[in-house]
Amino acid sequence: YFGPVDHGTLQSVFLEEGVGAEKGDSGGIADLVMSQTTSSMEDSAISRFKTSPTNLHLTQEMDEIKAKAVSLKDRESVLKEFLPAEKYSTSRMYQLRIIASRRRKLILRNSMTYARSVIAIVFGVIVGSLFAALQQDTIGALGRSGYIFLSSFLVLMLSSAVTIPDGFRQRITLFKHRDSEFYSGRMAYVVQVMLDLPLSILEATLIASISYWWVGMTPGADHFFFFLGTLIGLECVGQAFARFLCAVSRTQVSANVASSLCILLFATVGGFMPAYSTITWALRWLSWITPVAYAFEGMMINQFDGTSFFGLVIVDKDGTSTVGNVDGTKYLSSQSIPRSQWGTNTEIKIFDCLMLFVFSIVLDMIAVYFQESSRDWYFNKIRRSRATVARSEDKEDKSADELVETDTEAQVKSGEGSIGPQSLAVSNLSYTVNIGKSKTCWKPRRATCGSLLGPALAKIAGKSLESSEAATEKEEETELKLLNEITARFKCGRMTALMGQSGAGKTTLLDVIAGYKTGGVIAGDIMIDGYPKEDTTWKAMNGYAEQQDILNPYMSVLETITFTADCRLPSHADKKAITKSVIELMDLSEYTDMIVGHEKEGEGLPKHARKRLTIANQLVVQPKVLFLDEPTSNLGTNDAALVMGAVRRSTDAMNLITLVTIHQPSKKMFESFDDLLLLAKGGRVAYCGELGPSSQTLISHFTSLSGKSPSASANPPADFVLSVLDGGSPDEAVVKFKESELCKELLSAIDTDVKEAESQPRSTVTKHSLHFFAEFALLFRRQFPNGETHHILFSDFVFLQELHLFLACSSSISRMTFKELFLPSLQSSS
């Protein structure tokens, strides 16, 4: 259909021939056009639209447009007149300026900017204290070598670790701006590099300034600033490497794993342990593309070239030793510097420092290329085209088809305590929060000599000065009453819709009854079958499905529900039967083996199935009271009907007391409820009672209040009720309900519950809790069925293999004697 939103026209298209408007039209336009639930109904609606006057008029308009359109030959020249000559409406320099201004504000407002400085200070203190006050001997030489290597490793790791999350946060916004041609992606990247550089300089300066002198490195401004420049180069490399990973990686997890592995590899072949000459020939080439190797070599030359230190050298295996000075330059030659034959030590260290910036520039150029290429493979594909990810492959947990086939209601009642409370009532329930202290100040209207000098002179004289113009300050406690003496009663086997005006306190009331409000002051009574609610057993009786779906994205639907059942149900309950029944009630059978997936990335379950899974997680624990907070939010008409249909089935099958907050439901969805609790502004009750057949009880009450009756075909009951409440006086609606027979019947029913509770013993509810080892076993087993755990385990395996390689090489170098390390240097110096 395409045409005007006219109720009569829509009826002629979407209602079958011979079906009257009163029978086929449920009242709302959305319900009318979405009522085609089968393919045959859709085909008939399409055929009726093709022969309708609306389609004929549309066809005539399209023919007129085509007749007036230019020919294909002239179309390109005509389009050029409308399209801009340049891709971007602003110059590159202007883009650079506005992007830099925006980026600068974001950096200054980001708490991580200041946290990075604190982290750099902490790292400087830790590294400096580890190598504090090293002596000028062989032990000190090894310690300074370790300090140089650790500083290089930490700076590279820190700069990369803090840049990756920031890059992924900016990426989605950048891609949207770029696709809308706000600015060039290259300009945005240049700005990012330019504004990240000051942070790199600051972090490197903090680490070097704190630790360099504390360790006792070679004094002199030239040595310090070369050390600082090398750390800045490493910072630039780390950030460029992180930006490269952000450009080529689809998710932050994959970028973090790649960053960790690469940095560990850089450290392994960096030249410290093992030394370059001891690295196997198959891996030695990695030292030539490793930034840490260049930084370590340059800083070693900067530290030891032209110096000497006092050493103890082991001459033979008998323990005979020789004491003497070890020349620093000769000591460098014993460290097998790979580029020692290229030139003088000064030339080599300058080359090493410059190579760090070359690495940074090359990585940034590659990252810019991939970031621009991502138009084809990433942008507009943030939501994956596939509807699901891998299926569950856990062999121990059987699929839903292999579970015991029994009657649904029998399975539900197999849980412990199928007989639940008959009513839940609240009486004069109020909720007040303290919103702070308000200060009222009185100050002099004008400054006079008396007002300025009077208090001082009076204080010197020891007298008190009272003046109406003296500045005083008064603090007053300010409280806000969110719920105001609410009285309501909810019965088992019935669904109650909780509606109200904006800010009336719908979710607040739900949270207060469910026990999720810990702050503020709650007054009034919450009763179950006339007995006061007990906090110790209340959690075992109710289920609360929040508006936001909090689900593990790496588990299947069956695994999610089974895990909840294992944690919350007693050991003697038939957990498989209960799980099966809940899956059937929530109509999740087709999604049983589907992984939940990441909703933001468009994978896994659709939105309506996620919502039903959230509710199923509460139903599987066999609650007696079910609270649902906006279960239809962000859902279309059909999807919302699926969710509420499942809730309706569950309420009937499990005999639940169901309370649902909902915002302007359609007529069909609204009439699936049994009762309505309507709140006016200020948290007051404007209606509480049955809807009646076709909502006539509710409509007659508000018709008497407004003097107008709703149009059965155009105004759904929920819209009519809210329009009356919004258009009239909320105070009048509250007073009208208090004077109605519905309110009297409500108060009488609550009094009857209380009197019956006084004459009958209270039924007990048993809380079930697992012991420590059972919880540990459940959580341990939960980590292995999903595929993401396999990926993590594989990454851990690779990491451990890299660590094993590093430790093996370290142990081989540690077995070298001091003779092999220092004797050549000692003999040359002597």
Side-chain angles (χ1 to χ4, degrees), residues 390-407:
R391 295 174 64 88
S392 172
E393 296 178 353
D394 183 20
K395 296 181 180 179
E396 296 181 0
D397 293 335
K398 297 181 179 180
S399 64
D401 296 334
E402 296 173 330
L403 291 175
V404 181
E405 294 288 344
T406 57
D407 179 72

Side-chain angles (χ1 to χ4, degrees), residues 92-93 95-96 99 183-192:
R92 296 300 176 96
M93 291 305 299
Q95 293 178 23
L96 196 68
I99 298 172
Y183 46 76
S184 169
R186 292 186 178 89
M187 289 294 101
Y189 195 95
V190 170
V191 169
Q192 185 180 4

Side-chain angles (χ1 to χ4, degrees), residues 607-658:
K607 180 68 176 177
H608 60 86
R610 292 174 187 273
K611 183 62 66 176
R612 283 182 282 159
L613 178 57
T614 300
I615 300 173
N617 256 342
Q618 303 301 321
L619 292 179
V620 78
V621 301
Q622 302 288 278
K624 308 302 183 293
V625 185
L626 180 63
F627 299 98
L628 304 178
D629 185 17
E630 294 282 358
T632 60
S633 61
N634 301 321
L635 294 179
T637 304
N638 287 346
D639 292 344
L642 286 175
V643 174
M644 294 312 300
V647 175
R648 177 76 264 179
R649 289 193 301 271
S650 303
T651 302
D652 296 337
M654 302 177 69
N655 202 30
L656 298 174
I657 300 173
T658 304

Side-chain angles (χ1 to χ4, degrees), residues 426-536:
V426 294
S427 178
N428 298 322
L429 184 64
S430 299
Y431 179 63
T432 306
V433 294
N434 186 358
I435 59 175
K437 296 181 179 180
S438 62
K439 296 183 178 180
T440 307
C441 300
W442 292 269
K443 295 184 178 180
R445 287 174 289 182
R446 56 190 178 90
T448 63
C449 293
S451 64
L452 296 175
L453 300 178
L457 296 174
K459 186 175 181 180
I460 294 174
K463 298 180 180 180
S464 61
L465 178 64
E466 296 183 359
S467 173
S468 61
E469 292 187 345
T472 60
E473 186 179 86
K474 182 180 179 181
E475 291 187 354
E476 296 179 352
E477 293 285 347
T478 303
E479 293 183 344
L480 180 62
K481 203 167 191 178
L482 300 179
L483 302 178
N484 192 350
E485 297 184 354
I486 293 178
T487 299
R489 184 171 182 267
F490 316 106
K491 291 173 281 187
C492 65
R494 300 178 69 85
M495 284 174 55
T496 302
L498 177 53
M499 298 174 56
Q501 295 176 292
S502 178
K506 302 182 291 295
T507 301
T508 301
L509 176 61
L510 200 72
D511 291 342
V512 169
I513 299 176
Y516 282 84
K517 288 293 185 184
T518 56
V521 178
I522 300 175
D525 299 317
I526 303 176
M527 297 170 288
I528 304 169
D529 286 342
Y531 297 99
K533 183 187 76 172
E534 291 183 350
D535 294 336
T536 55

Side-chain angles (χ1 to χ4, degrees), residues 148 152 226 230 270-271 276 288 291-303 332 336-340 342 345 348-349 351-353:
I148 292 172
S152 305
F226 179 85
T230 305
Y276 175 76
W288 293 84
V292 175
Y294 289 91
F296 180 73
E297 181 182 73
M299 287 192 285
M300 286 287 288
I301 295 174
N302 181 64
Q303 170 63 30
L332 287 173
S336 65
I337 295 178
R339 287 161 285 275
S340 59
W342 284 22
N345 285 339
I348 294 174
K349 74 175 186 179
F351 170 79
D352 290 335
C353 186

Side-chain angles (χ1 to χ4, degrees), residues 547-692:
Q547 184 175 352
Q548 300 296 328
D549 303 321
I550 304 175
L551 302 168
N552 191 317
Y554 306 118
M555 299 185 70
S556 70
V557 170
L558 178 61
E559 290 166 351
T560 301
I561 299 176
T562 302
F563 177 76
T564 305
D566 289 338
C567 291
R568 299 284 301 276
L569 291 177
S571 57
H572 56 79
D574 190 351
K575 299 178 183 179
K576 290 185 178 180
I578 295 174
T579 301
K580 172 64 177 176
S581 67
V582 169
I583 289 176
E584 290 181 350
L585 287 173
M586 286 289 106
D587 197 15
L588 290 171
S589 300
E590 61 178 307
Y591 302 107
T592 302
D593 293 318
M594 186 178 290
I595 300 296
V596 174
H598 292 275
E599 183 182 3
K600 291 183 178 180
E601 297 180 8
E603 62 182 16
L605 297 177
K607 180 68 176 177
H608 60 86
R610 292 174 187 273
K611 183 62 66 176
R612 283 182 282 159
L613 178 57
T614 300
I615 300 173
N617 256 342
Q618 303 301 321
L619 292 179
V620 78
V621 301
Q622 302 288 278
K624 308 302 183 293
V625 185
L626 180 63
F627 299 98
L628 304 178
D629 185 17
E630 294 282 358
T632 60
S633 61
N634 301 321
L635 294 179
T637 304
N638 287 346
D639 292 344
L642 286 175
V643 174
M644 294 312 300
V647 175
R648 177 76 264 179
R649 289 193 301 271
S650 303
T651 302
D652 296 337
M654 302 177 69
N655 202 30
L656 298 174
I657 300 173
T658 304
L659 184 57
V660 183
T661 60
I662 197 165
H663 181 69
Q664 286 187 320
S666 64
K667 181 178 180 180
K668 185 177 180 180
M669 186 186 304
F670 184 70
E671 291 182 349
S672 67
F673 289 93
D674 302 298
D675 306 310
L676 171 67
L677 173 58
L678 184 65
L679 299 183
K681 287 184 178 179
R684 298 170 295 170
V685 178
Y687 183 86
C688 182
E690 296 182 356
L691 298 180

